[in-house]
Amino acid sequence: MTEFNHNKKQKYQPNVSAFLAVCGRNYAHILKWLPDQFTVNEPWHVKGEFGTLLVNLIENTKYTQLIEISRPIASGHFFKSPKAVVRIYHDAQLAEVLTSQQIYRLKPVYDYPNIHMHQSDEKFQVNAFLEELLKIGARKVPCQS
């Protein structure tokens, strides 16, 4: 009979390759509708087959941009509109979620369990969710508003 030790818990090891891959795909999605000329704090809409994203450029530097992406949802729903602040690294061709919903600083790894009940791989999951959110604007015609 094999003995199983319930007290030994495997420490979470982040998969850096998978994380960079999802950040690279997010960059490619964003690049499809990121305008050439834009102004800080002048939001625009990206209308797609599955809805609309509201995008606001928060910061613009030589190699990076900071944008806020949200999906407006009609009032009366039981949940908040998805929203994320994303850093776009043009030199590395990556887009990484910095904050999402009520998480203001995403850690690379969380101990589990924790007081906020974040998953061990919360940062990866939030970036994977952004990828799904960005698919809304995959087939679109950007329009300024």
Side-chain angles (χ1 to χ4, degrees):
M1 181 184 230
T2 310
E3 200 173 307
F4 187 77
N5 188 348
H6 289 285
N7 296 331
K8 272 199 166 186
K9 186 177 175 185
Q10 292 283 335
K11 185 175 179 182
Y12 170 70
Q13 292 290 332
N15 184 338
V16 178
S17 297
F19 178 74
L20 291 176
V22 76
C23 290
R25 289 191 301 270
N26 288 344
Y27 179 80
H29 283 300
I30 290 170
L31 216 54
K32 290 178 185 176
W33 46 257
L34 194 64
D36 293 331
Q37 299 294 321
F38 37 80
T39 307
V40 173
N41 291 323
E42 283 190 20
W44 69 92
H45 289 89
V46 176
K47 293 186 180 187
E49 183 179 358
F50 304 109
T52 302
L53 296 176
L54 179 62
V55 184
N56 184 25
L57 178 68
I58 299 170
E59 178 183 288
N60 191 22
T61 64
K62 187 174 181 179
Y63 297 110
T64 67
Q65 293 170 317
L66 188 64
I67 61 172
E68 182 181 73
I69 301 172
S70 61
R71 172 149 194 248
I73 297 176
S75 62
H77 287 81
F78 296 103
F79 50 89
K80 290 183 176 186
S81 299
K83 183 181 353 179
V85 175
V86 179
R87 172 76 65 195
I88 303 169
Y89 302 95
H90 292 291
D91 53 346
Q93 298 184 341
L94 299 172
E96 175 187 17
V97 176
L98 299 181
T99 67
S100 176
Q101 299 305 96
Q102 293 83 20
I103 307 173
Y104 296 104
R105 284 195 185 166
L106 283 164
K107 294 180 183 178
V109 176
Y110 287 90
D111 290 330
Y112 190 83
N114 57 66
I115 195 164
H116 299 292
M117 294 308 294
H118 297 310
Q119 296 295 317
S120 297
D121 64 342
E122 189 81 20
K123 187 167 186 125
F124 176 83
Q125 289 187 29
V126 168
N127 280 279
F129 177 74
L130 176 65
E131 182 178 20
E132 294 301 316
L133 190 63
L134 292 174
K135 289 178 182 177
I136 289 172
R139 295 186 199 161
K140 57 75 198 122
V141 175
C143 61
Q144 296 285 337
S145 49

